[in-house]
Amino acid sequence: MRAYYFDNIPGDQRLPHDSGRAVSSDTLTKLGVLQWSIPVENYEPHIDEIARKRGYKNRDTINVTKEGLGEAYESKIKTFFEEHMHEDEEIRYILSGSGFFDVREFQTDEWIRVHVTPGDLLVLPAGIYHRFTLDEANAIKALRLFQDEPKWTPHNRSELTDANVFRKQYLGSVGAQVTATA
């Protein structure tokens, strides 16, 4: 898994957009982003152990390809790339293919791009602004883990999501000054 600052140059979202400024694992950890590298061969016991320790009770597999998503492919790719947050952790273990998760660094509001490939396990905390896109290979297959019933409800960035309790909890957890709302 490789992380760096997004270059913000207009163009195909599936291109690397590498600014040349690397981001360390420590920086990701400070943002609450967790990562593991687990070989795909015989991954189940390792994933099961992490799931047990972190309380992930459910899982499914998503195949983000034109074939896997059918007619919904183009609209899903656009939806995934809209800046949003979730009220639950987002947990993905990459089985095949590759793609990019972009996360907002709250201090600077810059995008950090994380390139995920087979064997990468990424956990995004509830409340972090992020987005996802495929890379130029146009295919990814990922195991999704959930703490409760499987759901994927994006809350697009807005004044409403800025005031969302999960967003405020996230900001508090990473040391940001959070103002109370009436």
Side-chain angles (χ1 to χ4, degrees):
M1 183 172 324
R2 190 171 154 267
Y4 51 88
Y5 287 98
F6 187 81
D7 66 12
N8 286 315
I9 295 172
D12 188 339
Q13 69 195 35
R14 298 168 303 158
L15 295 175
H17 287 279
D18 189 344
S19 67
R21 296 170 28 222
V23 172
S24 70
S25 292
D26 286 346
T27 298
L28 290 175
T29 301
K30 287 176 185 170
L31 293 173
V33 176
L34 306 177
Q35 72 249 334
W36 289 268
S37 181
I38 302 166
V40 174
E41 185 177 302
N42 195 31
Y43 71 88
E44 292 94 344
H46 302 285
I47 295 295
D48 290 345
E49 179 64 14
I50 291 169
R52 186 188 63 72
K53 285 181 179 175
R54 295 190 58 81
Y56 304 146
K57 299 176 191 92
N58 293 295
R59 61 184 76 177
D60 68 10
T61 302
I62 186 168
N63 190 16
V64 182
T65 62
K66 288 181 183 178
E67 299 77 25
L69 294 176
E71 291 182 21
Y73 175 77
E74 291 298 331
S75 66
K76 285 288 188 192
I77 293 300
K78 287 178 184 168
T79 300
F80 294 159
F81 199 63
E82 291 179 25
E83 184 174 6
H84 63 278
M85 56 154 263
H86 302 286
E87 294 180 346
D88 300 297
E89 286 185 342
E90 182 164 330
I91 308 102
R92 301 293 182 265
Y93 175 67
I94 310 307
L95 295 165
S96 64
S98 50
F100 298 110
F101 280 92
D102 297 338
V103 297
R104 280 281 186 198
E105 184 177 48
F106 78 90
Q107 302 96 326
T108 65
D109 214 33
E110 286 189 85
W111 283 114
I112 294 174
R113 178 155 272 198
V114 180
H115 191 215
V116 291
T117 58
D120 290 338
L121 174 64
L122 188 68
V123 178
L124 303 180
I128 192 171
Y129 285 128
H130 66 283
R131 62 189 183 189
F132 170 79
T133 190
L134 295 171
D135 61 14
E136 293 175 283
N138 285 320
I140 198 167
K141 183 177 181 182
L143 181 67
R144 304 187 302 178
L145 295 105
F146 304 92
Q147 291 176 330
D148 292 306
E149 290 302 312
K151 66 179 177 177
W152 188 85
T153 306
H155 299 278
N156 289 349
R157 188 172 185 174
S158 68
E159 286 182 21
L160 250 159
T161 53
D162 285 343
N164 180 292
V165 66
F166 292 93
R167 175 69 180 163
K168 288 189 176 265
Q169 287 172 352
Y170 165 71
L171 289 172
S173 75
V174 294
Q177 295 295 324
V178 180
T179 56
T181 55

